[in-house]
Amino acid sequence: MAGISIPGVTDKYKTNETVEKLMQIERIPLTREQQTLETYKKQQDAWRDVNRKVSSLRDSVKSLYSFENPFNNKLTSSTEEYAVTATATRNATYDTFNIDVIQAATADRFLTAELDEDTKVPAGTYTYKIADKTVTMRWKGGSLQEFSDSLNRRGNNLIKTRVIGATRGKKTLAIESLKTGEANKLSFEDDAKTFAETTGMIIKVKPKTISFGTARSELSAPPEDKISEQRRMPAISMKDIQVSGETITVPPRAGYKISIPDSVKEMPNYHLTLTIMQKDTPDITVSLNKTPVAPVFPESGSASFRDVTIRNAPVDASLPPEPAVKPEPLDPIETSSVLFAVMNDGSEKLIPTDSILTDSETKIDLNLSDYRGIDALIFRNRNTGKTFTVSSTEAFNPNENLGFIPQHPITTAGDAIIKYEGITIRRPENTIDDVVPEVTLNILDKTEKTAKISVKPDVESAKDALITFVGKYNQAIGQINILSQNKPELIDEMDYLTDEEKKAQREKLGMFLSDSSLNTLKSNVQAITQARYPFNENAEITMLSQIGIATNASSYSGYTPSKLRGYLEIDEKKLDAELEKHLEDIKNIFGYDTDGDLIIDSGIGYKLDKQLTAYVQTGGIFALKTSGLDTKIKASEQKITRLESQMEQKEADLRNKYGQMEGALNSLENQQTTISNFSNRGNKE
């Protein structure tokens, strides 16, 4: 058995080695095609890589001239940040203004008296109201904590409660409104009111109202109006004022003054209310313009008898003659500025009454905390064709008008009150965005001294965007250099690459040496970044090099090969200085409108974007390169599949032939062995 040889299993004649060597020669076309396929894939990866870097550069470029460009970003600062801060939109103008915070907007926050910790909240319907919104809860009864948790689940962003440990064995329940502003007072209805009273949270009070201005004796003549008037316009007086019941009728060019009672002035939390109604009346300027400017005497008369007429001598009153030049006719006056607050220093403050010229009744509500030091009210009807009916003035405490006052208030509902450049402004919330255009004020606390709010350019974000642009530009140029040049030093100069990254880049070195598209792209973007962009006749900054961004921006003036690679450098000190002085110019060199159609059509950013888009867009140059390689890769893969099939068939044929040859040789050897054995036996016999 030891001499048995099985073709294809034993390799007595080394046919496997022979077949393998023959197949190596046969596989040369397949191996070459596999290498070609690998080259195509590496080239495709290289195009995709440079496409990513150029796309990243384009994104950076677009951000420098689009609507969201960093040059329009604004920063705000406040000298009293504990009390007021501000945020500005990109459309805000550079400005500095003063803000005094009289008070921040607050919400009602009430406490009960100290209760035993095992206090139960009775079953019932508990209703809490804030302005026109209500929260109603049907309660089955339970502990303070259970009541608090249940009410919080139904609070609907209107109210919130919590149980506070007051002293050992004692608890107190806090209920607060989540809406700030004087109009958002917290009130109690149904069983909520009973529970609030029994736990000492509120106490009943009778509303107290003080009325004044109901008798003519309370009125006095208004002081002289300091506004310049037309000649012959009647002065404002109170001679035609009529007082009837609880109303005062004020005809055209009439007015009055009414003093605030001392008992009211001492209550800064009081409000004053009155209503005003207007009515159109014949304009007095019509009749005034018809009035002669000098006396007109009738004719002195005459007597006639038959054909004889005797005339009386003309009247001689020794009056001044009629003026040679007639005065200008009076113009009608229409104004809504009729109500003024007189302060204790004699100054006057206009009380806004913008809606009084409409046909509807206007209700005026003055918070005395906004007019500290008020002494009187003045009503001046400067109009020539309007008659006003004014109600008596009422003073009251708005908290008492609810029918209760809190016994343990943490805070009570109040508006935010600020002074903007000396003008008092009141808002129900602490976020105020309708005072300064494009600026939102955030009220935090009362100011100890006037806060100065400044809106300035965000220079740092502009600088960061420019640095990012330079970094993306250099990455794109570096990748183009590697692919289009066969210089190992290109990679050695890139200190920021890891060893693995450098190894990967070396495989791409000079890969597209014969492809002109990359060199064309590099040449074009370099020309764009080095060109001048005179966006107007007075432009001081028209080139990147003027702001410290150039291929030789560094202070070192010696020769370095890297300066010839096309990379941009940054002189940071110069960039900082130019950003501070010429931010708007720098913005314009990246994108500006040349023909007045409000569409950017020139600038570094615009032109780079247009140039790079031709390469990276769908169907662009890079896409054509990769799609062309896709076709080659598919053709190569098909060829490899066909060659592999041929190689398999060739190898099978060779192994079959050599197997048959081994079988024949084995048969011959066996025959030879048989003959030899037979001969040996014959010789022995």
Side-chain angles (χ1 to χ4, degrees), residues 363-571:
K363 184 175 182 179
I364 309 299
D365 186 342
L366 303 182
N367 187 337
L368 291 187
S369 63
D370 295 345
Y371 297 87
R372 296 181 185 276
I374 190 171
D375 191 61
L377 293 174
I378 291 177
F379 195 99
R380 289 193 186 95
N381 183 9
R382 294 183 58 246
N383 293 278
T384 55
K386 303 284 185 185
T387 295
F388 293 97
T389 301
V390 186
S391 71
S392 61
T393 305
E394 292 187 345
F396 65 93
N397 183 336
N399 288 329
E400 292 179 355
N401 270 24
L402 294 174
F404 69 85
I405 57 173
Q407 289 202 82
H408 307 282
I410 303 172
T411 58
T412 56
D415 292 337
I417 304 173
I418 65 172
K419 282 189 176 181
Y420 167 66
E421 298 293 351
I423 303 170
T424 301
I425 295 168
R426 190 185 194 98
R427 294 291 184 273
E429 296 176 340
N430 287 318
T431 301
I432 303 174
D433 59 4
D434 59 351
V435 173
V436 184
E438 304 297 334
V439 175
T440 299
L441 300 174
N442 305 300
I443 308 304
L444 305 173
D445 202 353
K446 179 180 179 181
T447 50
E448 299 298 328
K449 57 183 180 180
T450 300
K452 181 174 288 187
I453 308 292
S454 298
V455 181
K456 297 180 179 179
D458 187 354
V459 175
E460 281 302 314
S461 69
K463 179 181 176 181
D464 290 344
L466 289 172
I467 291 173
T468 299
F469 158 68
V470 171
K472 301 289 186 184
Y473 179 93
N474 287 342
Q475 287 179 0
I477 293 296
Q479 195 64 34
I480 291 171
N481 285 340
I482 289 171
L483 293 172
S484 61
Q485 300 177 43
N486 192 9
K487 297 179 180 179
E489 58 268 26
L490 290 171
I491 299 172
D492 296 334
E493 291 168 359
M494 297 179 178
D495 298 331
Y496 54 88
L497 295 179
T498 65
D499 291 341
E500 287 296 321
E501 289 172 335
K502 286 184 177 181
K503 182 180 177 181
Q505 292 294 350
R506 287 191 182 97
E507 294 179 1
K508 300 176 183 178
L509 197 60
M511 183 176 287
F512 303 132
L513 192 60
S514 60
D515 193 311
S516 64
S517 59
L518 290 178
N519 285 324
T520 301
L521 174 60
K522 177 182 174 182
S523 176
N524 289 342
V525 298
Q526 284 181 311
I528 291 170
T529 55
Q530 294 171 9
R532 292 182 68 252
Y533 297 91
F535 53 89
N536 64 43
E537 295 179 356
N538 302 319
E540 295 186 40
I541 301 295
T542 59
M543 299 179 68
L544 273 182
S545 58
Q546 291 177 285
I547 64 173
I549 299 177
T551 55
N552 57 347
S554 62
S555 57
Y556 173 70
S557 59
Y559 166 79
T560 57
S562 63
K563 289 182 180 292
L564 303 177
R565 313 291 190 211
Y567 301 127
L568 290 176
E569 297 176 344
I570 297 176
D571 182 341

Side-chain angles (χ1 to χ4, degrees), residues 33 36-37 39-48 621-639:
E33 192 61 38
T36 299
L37 176 61
T39 299
Y40 288 157
K41 289 183 177 180
K42 287 181 178 179
Q43 288 177 347
Q44 193 173 59
D45 289 342
W47 282 119
R48 286 171 177 163
I621 293 173
F622 291 153
L624 292 176
K625 297 288 185 182
T626 54
S627 64
L629 285 168
D630 272 337
T631 302
K632 291 181 179 180
I633 287 171
K634 289 177 182 177
S636 181
E637 287 175 340
Q638 290 173 357
K639 187 175 181 180

Side-chain angles (χ1 to χ4, degrees), residues 101-146:
V101 180
I102 309 303
Q103 68 179 39
T106 52
D108 278 335
R109 300 169 66 199
F110 303 154
L111 288 172
T112 65
E114 291 187 5
L115 308 172
D116 292 335
E117 60 182 1
D118 58 354
T119 298
K120 301 295 182 182
V121 182
T125 300
Y126 289 75
T127 302
Y128 300 88
K129 188 174 182 179
I130 298 171
D132 59 346
K133 299 185 182 298
T134 59
V135 175
T136 300
M137 179 179 71
R138 297 186 183 279
W139 176 241
K140 62 181 179 180
S143 67
L144 285 173
Q145 189 61 57
E146 290 170 337

Side-chain angles (χ1 to χ4, degrees), residues 54 60-61 65 81 95 101 107 109 163-164 179 226 329 355 369-370 382 407 409 483 485 535 571 603 607:
V54 173
S60 176
V61 163
Y65 81 95
E81 289 193 346
D95 196 7
V101 180
R109 300 169 66 199
V163 177
I164 303 170
K179 301 291 184 182
K226 296 180 181 180
S355 63
S369 63
D370 295 345
R382 294 183 58 246
Q407 289 202 82
L483 293 172
Q485 300 177 43
F535 53 89
D571 182 341
K607 291 194 172 182

